């Protein structure tokens, strides 16, 4: 795909390839470590992307040791076990349904915490919408920094919540392997909807 029509520079084109046009969802991993510091770099970029009222409800638990990944194993769908267990880093993207507690810090010029206390029916939609958005931002930030992603929703979310989150307000949304993908394990690229099929301009 050629993006030069949008006046992008060569640097833009290289970044677009890393994030979109050449980036793929991974099914297997090369034996290459992920430096721990990059997890903070991903956070420091992705946390700048927008959420409603800056509510920032995504919480991430990174599984980096064999022991931590073994705790996850029983919750994985059979087809996802190998790709998660062999992955250098597995991120559990979770939603904090108590996100409003942080609004006095995150959105200090107004009473966001009180707003959600008065409108409890908005909490779930707001939490899920924004935590999912943030997980998308995180994957794009990880790609921009040179990592590959392998997102999966084929797992038992209730089991993951019981194993990792207990009685807290956190609930798992989806999991994502992070590392350097093995090109030999890629599936063929599936088609995407054309602009005319997915978009309406009024
Ligand atoms: C939220 C989410 C959940 C997914 N769940 C699974 C999964 O359980 N197992 C799997 O093999 N792939 C899963 N995928 C991968 C998708 O099938 C893949 O992203 C899509 O087909 C596009 O592939 P591409 O990025 O290589 O073009 C998931 C992707 C996302 C974003």
């Amino acid at each position: 795909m050629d993006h030069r029509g949008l006046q992008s520079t060569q640097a833009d084109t290289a970044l677009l390839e890393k994030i979109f046009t050449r980036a793929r969802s991974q099914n297997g991993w090369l034996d290459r470590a992920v430096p721990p510091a990059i997890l903070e770099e991903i956070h420091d970029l992705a946390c700048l992307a927008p959420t409603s009222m800056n509510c920032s409800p995504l919480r991430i638990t990174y599984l980096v040791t064999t022991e931590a990944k073994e705790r996850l194993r029983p919750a994985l769908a059979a087809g996802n076990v190998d790709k998660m267990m062999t992955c250098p880093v597995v991120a559990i993207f979770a939603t904090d349904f108590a996100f409003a507690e942080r609004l006095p810090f995150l959105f200090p010029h107004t009473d966001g915490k009180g707003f959600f206390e008065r409108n409890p029916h908005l909490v779930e939609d707001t939490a899920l919408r924004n935590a999912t958005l943030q997980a998308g931002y995180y994957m794009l930030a990880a790609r921009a920094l040179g990592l590959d992603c392998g997102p999966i929703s084929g797992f038992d979310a209730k089991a993951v919540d019981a194993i990792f989150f207990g009685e807290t307000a956190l609930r798992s949304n989806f999991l994502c392997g992070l590392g350097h993908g093995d090109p030999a394990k890629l599936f063929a690229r599936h088609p995407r909807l054309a602009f005319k099929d997915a978009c309406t301009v009024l």
Side-chain angles (χ1 to χ4, degrees), residues 24-25 27 80 83 143 151-154 174 189-190 192:
R24 297 295 314 283
S25 298
N27 300 299
N80 288 329
K83 72 178 85 167
R143 285 176 166 181
I152 66 152
S153 52
F174 67 100
R189 183 78 124 169
H190 291 302
R192 299 301 202 259

Side-chain angles (χ1 to χ4, degrees), residues 43 47 53-56 59 99-114:
H43 173 84
C47 73
M53 288 178 109
N54 199 30
C55 64
S56 310
R59 305 290 177 265
F99 68 88
E101 297 296 320
R102 308 273 187 137
L103 286 177
F105 169 69
L106 291 167
F107 207 60
H109 58 287
T110 191
D111 178 22
K113 183 169 180 281

Side-chain angles (χ1 to χ4, degrees), residues 70-91:
E70 282 300 330
R71 290 172 66 195
L72 177 67
R73 183 191 285 273
L76 293 170
N80 288 329
V81 171
D82 282 352
K83 72 178 85 167
M84 288 294 112
M85 298 309 292
T86 58
C87 183
V89 177
V90 176

Side-chain angles (χ1 to χ4, degrees), residues 51-158:
T51 54
S52 65
M53 288 178 109
N54 199 30
C55 64
S56 310
L58 176 68
R59 305 290 177 265
I60 305 177
T61 301
Y62 288 109
L63 311 179
V64 298
T65 62
T66 305
E67 294 72 31
K69 283 179 247 171
E70 282 300 330
R71 290 172 66 195
L72 177 67
R73 183 191 285 273
L76 293 170
N80 288 329
V81 171
D82 282 352
K83 72 178 85 167
M84 288 294 112
M85 298 309 292
T86 58
C87 183
V89 177
V90 176
I92 304 175
F93 288 132
T95 306
D96 184 1
F97 288 91
F99 68 88
E101 297 296 320
R102 308 273 187 137
L103 286 177
F105 169 69
L106 291 167
F107 207 60
H109 58 287
T110 191
D111 178 22
K113 183 169 180 281
F115 172 79
F116 283 102
E117 281 163 1
R118 289 187 297 279
N119 298 282
H121 56 285
L122 292 181
V123 168
E124 188 165 325
D125 277 1
T126 303
L128 277 174
R129 177 180 303 119
N130 288 283
T132 306
L133 262 179
Q134 283 191 286
Y137 301 145
Y138 268 73
M139 291 195 290
L140 299 187
R143 285 176 166 181
L145 292 174
L147 289 182
D148 291 308
C149 297
I152 66 152
S153 52
F155 68 99
D156 180 341
K158 284 205 163 60

